[in-house]
Amino acid sequence: MSDEGEGQDLRDTVKRLEATVAALETRLAQVEARELPRPGSMPAISPVPDAAPPVAAAEQRDLEAHVGTYWLSRLGIVALIIGIAYLITYHFGELGVLARVGAGYLLSAGMGAFGLWLAQRHQLFGRIVFGGGLALAYFVTYALHFIPAVRVIDSEVLALVLLAGFVVAIVTIAHRMQSETVAGIALFLGLHTGMLSDITAFTLLSTTLLAAGALFFLVRNRWVIVPMSSLVAVYSTHVVWAVRTGHMAPGAPEHDRLVLSLGFLALYFLLFSVALLVRPRDLPVRASLAFTLLNWAGLTSLGAYEVSQEQDSGLFTFLLVVALAHGAGAAVSRLQRAPAALTHAYLALTAVTLALAMPARYDDVALVAAWTVTGLIAGLAARGVEAPVLRGVGVLILYVALGACEWETPGRLTLLAGLVVAFVLVERGGTVRVAGLPQPEARTLFTAICAVGAGLSLVALVGARMPEGLVTLGWVIAAFLLFGVGFAVHERWYRLAALAVLGLALGRLVLVDVAKLPPDQRVLTFILLGVMLLLVSYTYTRLRDRRG
């Protein structure tokens, strides 16, 4: 669809540019005639911005033309095919057997022929109508077994064979025409017309056939729009089924229905993943990433929902399997020499899925520990494979663990100490990339985020050990320890975080503690504060003298 649409848009743009140039030439001739200098006089200077309005008008016409030609045609064919599908569903049962078959295919053949005739004059518009005719013929074939009012074929196997043959026909026609428009319209409408009635295992099988046809174009022609819209449609069909849980395998035990549903989801995921990883270097990186993310979202969200509805105990196992599948995808991606961004995306999704699985198995201390270990492993693994996205995911998981580490949690001190160490280890070494930022600035931002995490963990750790009246002193000790970390790893962001904590401690000391602390605690706080400040200042002085 996109190639032909872009070609039509290009022709429209050229026409508008020609009109704009002609208007500018006319305007220039008028200005030159009006401002022609008289003999012996100075030439007049005429302002040029008069050409701006035609450009603005051209932009407005461009938006209007794009909506009118591109979107209205597609919305119109979708509405038309859905209306005819409803007509077949509700009224064709009144006809005889041969009349049902003949009327359905006659309608689709007439629409296809009309589209081919239109294509001779307006290629893009005609192919949209022709694709609608193919989609209508697919729905008629689907209805001959599945729609009770139109049913002619009783054998499910025969119906599936006919549908498979028709999908092959759609793929062959669109491939020979080299038309993404025909493929997209036919497959997209075929996928969605199946949702107009009850969704059963037969519907999901037919959907799988259409998805396989769309993936042919991803593997062979490297078209993106057709398979991506098919991916969305396939998972959308499964969403509708998940809402109507009683319509799939009616009368079967709940466990069997769950296995059947998860089997379809696994099949979808496998089909789309294999199609993506066959020749990953031939696809645009952004398209590959979008494809991977949508595939993960469909499998994870739908599978987790269905498993949790039936048996909560299996949720951890399901998410663990999904994580392993994405880890395998990362390995295959690397073997196929795919762009590094695709491999990193698979690794990041593996870590995210593992983090999502932890609450299904652990709680309290064990959950915080599991998240900490997951974030640490993700961050350290990112250093080995140079995956900046995976490092970012690791730090995000560590922050989730820090937020979940409640004040009353038993074993909290050990958890906070582990988080301090984890933040520092993940921050050390490796490359960091942030969209729109050069490497040094991205590295600085990442280090600052890790330093803040380590600082918050350290403040919480020390504060948990201090008596209620010595909270400020605990902050001072945390700042002192942060200074130590900053000097030990030679990273100024830890020292800047320490200065920020120290500033908060001084503010609390002046505004709160001076008035409320008992004399003994006040003496202890000020003496230890003074000693620590002098030690830090002395360290800064030695470093300055050594550099000098």
Side-chain angles (χ1 to χ4, degrees):
M1 275 187 290
S2 60
D3 292 341
E4 298 172 49
E6 290 174 1
Q8 185 65 37
D9 291 343
L10 182 60
R11 288 189 289 271
D12 294 340
T13 302
V14 170
K15 292 180 180 179
R16 288 193 297 274
L17 288 175
E18 291 175 349
T20 303
V21 170
L24 288 174
E25 290 176 347
T26 304
R27 176 63 179 164
L28 182 60
Q30 294 174 353
V31 170
E32 290 177 348
R34 186 170 61 249
E35 303 295 339
L36 190 63
R38 299 174 182 175
S41 64
M42 293 294 294
I45 300 177
S46 176
V48 183
D50 292 340
V55 176
E59 292 178 355
Q60 293 177 359
R61 287 196 303 270
D62 178 50
L63 176 61
E64 179 184 355
H66 184 69
V67 172
T69 59
Y70 187 89
W71 288 109
L72 292 187
S73 60
R74 284 153 178 80
L75 292 174
I77 198 66
V78 168
L80 178 62
I81 296 303
I82 290 177
I84 297 176
Y86 276 128
L87 172 67
I88 294 173
T89 302
Y90 294 122
H91 294 288
F92 271 34
E94 303 169 2
L95 305 176
V97 174
L98 294 179
R100 299 176 203 172
V101 178
Y105 284 117
L106 186 62
L107 276 174
S108 59
M111 182 174 291
F114 182 61
L116 291 177
W117 178 78
L118 279 177
Q120 297 176 1
R121 294 160 177 77
H122 308 283
Q123 185 184 66
L124 181 59
F125 187 81
R127 289 187 171 185
I128 291 173
V129 177
F130 178 72
L134 290 179
L136 183 58
Y138 170 85
F139 178 76
V140 172
T141 308
Y142 173 81
L144 292 181
H145 168 76
F146 183 74
I147 305 296
V150 193
R151 178 172 294 158
V152 173
I153 301 173
D154 293 325
S155 172
E156 185 172 299
V157 175
L158 177 59
L160 283 174
V161 170
L162 290 176
L163 284 177
F166 205 88
V167 170
V168 171
I170 292 175
V171 170
T172 303
I173 292 170
H175 180 65
R176 293 194 63 179
M177 295 177 68
Q178 283 298 296
S179 174
E180 195 171 4
T181 298
V182 172
I185 292 293
L187 295 177
F188 179 82
L189 286 173
L191 284 163
H192 281 84
T193 49
M195 298 171 62
L196 300 180
S197 56
D198 291 342
I199 296 175
T200 65
F202 180 81
T203 313
L204 298 181
L205 284 171
S206 62
T207 300
T208 305
L209 291 174
L210 285 170
L215 293 176
F216 168 84
F217 296 111
L218 181 67
V219 174
R220 181 65 183 271
N221 297 10
R222 312 316 284 168
W223 292 345
V224 175
I225 301 299
V226 172
M228 194 169 294
S229 61
S230 300
L231 184 149
V232 174
V234 163
Y235 283 114
S236 298
T237 304
H238 213 91
V239 167
V240 176
W241 170 81
V243 175
R244 309 175 187 174
T245 52
H247 292 284
M248 184 174 182
E254 295 293 330
H255 177 73
D256 293 344
R257 293 176 61 255
L258 178 62
V259 170
L260 181 61
S261 174
L262 292 180
F264 274 111
L265 287 175
L267 181 60
Y268 301 154
F269 176 79
L270 186 62
L271 280 174
F272 290 120
S273 298
V274 169
L276 177 64
L277 294 174
V278 168
R279 290 160 54 195
R281 288 177 292 176
D282 297 341
L283 282 176
V285 175
R286 290 186 179 180
S288 300
L289 295 178
F291 209 81
T292 303
L293 183 60
L294 289 173
N295 202 17
W296 171 82
L299 172 66
T300 306
S301 59
L302 282 170
Y305 170 78
E306 294 181 25
V307 172
S308 62
Q309 290 290 104
E310 303 296 338
Q311 44 180 327
D312 291 334
S313 59
L315 184 57
F316 177 81
T317 303
F318 169 76
L319 291 174
L320 186 62
V321 171
V322 173
L324 292 175
H326 283 82
V332 174
S333 175
R334 193 157 190 174
L335 288 175
Q336 291 290 89
R337 298 179 180 178
L342 181 59
T343 304
H344 297 168
Y346 271 113
L347 291 173
L349 292 175
T350 302
V352 170
T353 309
L354 285 175
L356 292 175
M358 296 308 168
R361 174 64 62 90
Y362 307 105
D363 54 11
D364 296 332
V365 176
L367 177 59
V368 177
W371 274 337
T372 303
V373 171
T374 303
L376 178 60
I377 292 175
L380 295 179
R383 291 167 56 180
V385 297
E386 296 185 353
V389 176
L390 183 59
R391 293 187 75 197
V393 169
V395 171
L396 179 61
I397 296 173
L398 291 179
Y399 266 100
V400 172
L402 177 58
C405 193
E406 300 177 358
W407 296 99
E408 296 82 12
T409 302
R412 180 170 173 271
L413 299 179
T414 304
L415 295 174
L416 289 171
L419 282 168
V420 173
V421 174
F423 275 113
V424 175
L425 290 177
V426 171
E427 182 272 328
R428 295 283 84 199
T431 58
V432 177
R433 298 188 189 93
V434 178
L437 287 180
Q439 174 70 24
E441 284 79 357
R443 172 69 192 173
T444 300
L445 177 62
F446 181 79
T447 303
I449 292 173
C450 291
V452 170
L456 292 174
S457 303
L458 198 53
V459 168
L461 171 63
V462 178
R465 295 292 298 175
M466 302 301 293
E468 185 178 353
L470 297 177
V471 174
T472 302
L473 183 59
W475 290 5
V476 174
I477 295 173
F480 185 75
L481 295 175
L482 267 180
F483 276 118
V485 174
F487 286 126
V489 300
H490 305 288
E491 179 52 64
R492 65 189 298 266
W493 276 103
Y494 291 99
R495 301 192 294 271
L496 292 176
L499 288 173
V501 174
L502 193 58
L504 292 175
L506 291 174
R508 179 185 173 88
L509 180 65
V510 172
L511 298 176
V512 179
D513 294 345
V514 171
K516 293 185 177 181
L517 285 181
D520 293 341
Q521 292 184 357
R522 195 180 305 168
V523 170
L524 180 62
T525 300
F526 273 94
I527 289 177
L528 289 179
L529 174 61
V531 170
M532 292 179 185
L533 290 176
L534 289 174
L535 286 175
V536 173
S537 180
Y538 176 71
T539 305
Y540 271 109
T541 302
R542 288 199 60 183
L543 287 175
R544 184 196 62 187
D545 293 342
R546 187 177 301 171
R547 291 173 182 173

